[in-house]
Amino acid sequence: MTPFTYFQPAGLEEAFSLVAEHGPGTRLMAGGQSLLLALKERLARPPTVVSLSRIPELSAISYAEDGSLEVGAATTYAQLQKAAFTGWHRHISAIAGNLADRSVRSMGTIGGGACQADPRYDVPTLLVASAARMVIGSIDGMRSIDAAAFFSPAGGTTLGPRDILCRIVFPPAGVFASFGFDKFRFRVFDAAVVNAALAVTTDEAGRITIARLVFGGIAACPSVAGAAGARLCGVQLNEFASLPVADIAAQASEEVLPIATATTRHRQFQSELIKTITTGLLTQAGAPGG
Ligand SMILES: Cc1cc2nc3c(=O)[nH]c(=O)nc-3n(C[C@H](O)[C@H](O)[C@H](O)COP(=O)(O)OP(=O)(O)OC[C@H]3O[C@@H](n4cnc5c(N)ncnc54)[C@H](O)[C@@H]3O)c2cc1C
């Protein structure tokens, strides 16, 4: 590990100033689960590291007036796993409780998972599928963007060098009539070969208005199967049994990973996984209580 200067600010304004003052080489550290590895292996050699672990507002969980769930960027997976969430927010707990191992979950943070932006990880898929808003701060002020715009198509995030992800705002607990997440990994502590989420909203008559089907592990950022999702619109959730589920799953697979480009065994395996996982998510969404 190359020596660096370490700061532990106690407030956001101080963190914004430190990042601005010490320049673009500065790295932020949340739980350190990815960054410490990069430092140890000398993949990153920052002159300055600013810790986010002692900033209380970054690890707070609260609700906005409209019922949106506001999660501080430095909230750990363990905190999310234990939170008493209701409605679709329970899936956030379940996802946080089913990644990596206990030590990663106790230190790793949802904001760190977002900023690490590894497409095989669960957090980017969760954020894009749920249309979360990312609240970003810097010495220049605060702004918020859609999760889909947070992840760069070329990989990584669209954060600037002075930016800190401050919190993530999830839609209210009752927004999705159905939400599902699934993934395939070889061992429990492995990143997923493919992960996927399906978020469904309905109108007053129970007809689907949005079906956001998102996959991780396929491209450099989460992949949205827009056309396959659109085929669900206008259908009632309880009519799912009459849908050509296998055909929609095949369309989703072709959309995000065209079979013509699946020239390796790994890509062919991913293509099959997408179909299997999508079929499961659609079947589950159509089931009572899905
Ligand atoms: C063995 C192992 C298995 C894993 N398996 C999974 C898995 O199956 N699914 C999954 O989703 N994740 C998995 N993870 C990843 C885990 O989610 C991330 O490593 C971890 O969450 C990163 O969060 P952190 O708080 O430790 O971030 P850090 O390591 O502290 O930071 C990661 C990166 O994000 C930047 N950063 C952190 N916070 C902010 C912020 N608020 N604003 C701006 N930049 C910031 C840092 O500068 C750094 O570049 C695994 C990790 C390990 C080590």
Side-chain angles (χ1 to χ4, degrees), residues 27-28 30-35 52 77 100 109 112 115-116 121-122 165:
R27 292 294 291 267
L28 296 161
Q33 296 304 292
S34 298
L35 184 63
L52 301 176
Y77 297 119
T109 68
C115 295
Q116 185 66 19
Y121 287 167
D122 309 9
L165 175 64

Side-chain angles (χ1 to χ4, degrees), residues 63 67-69 80 85-94 170-174:
Y63 290 92
S68 299
L69 173 65
L80 291 169
F85 289 146
T86 58
W88 86 267
H89 294 160
R90 281 180 299 211
H91 289 274
I92 302 172
S93 290
F170 291 102

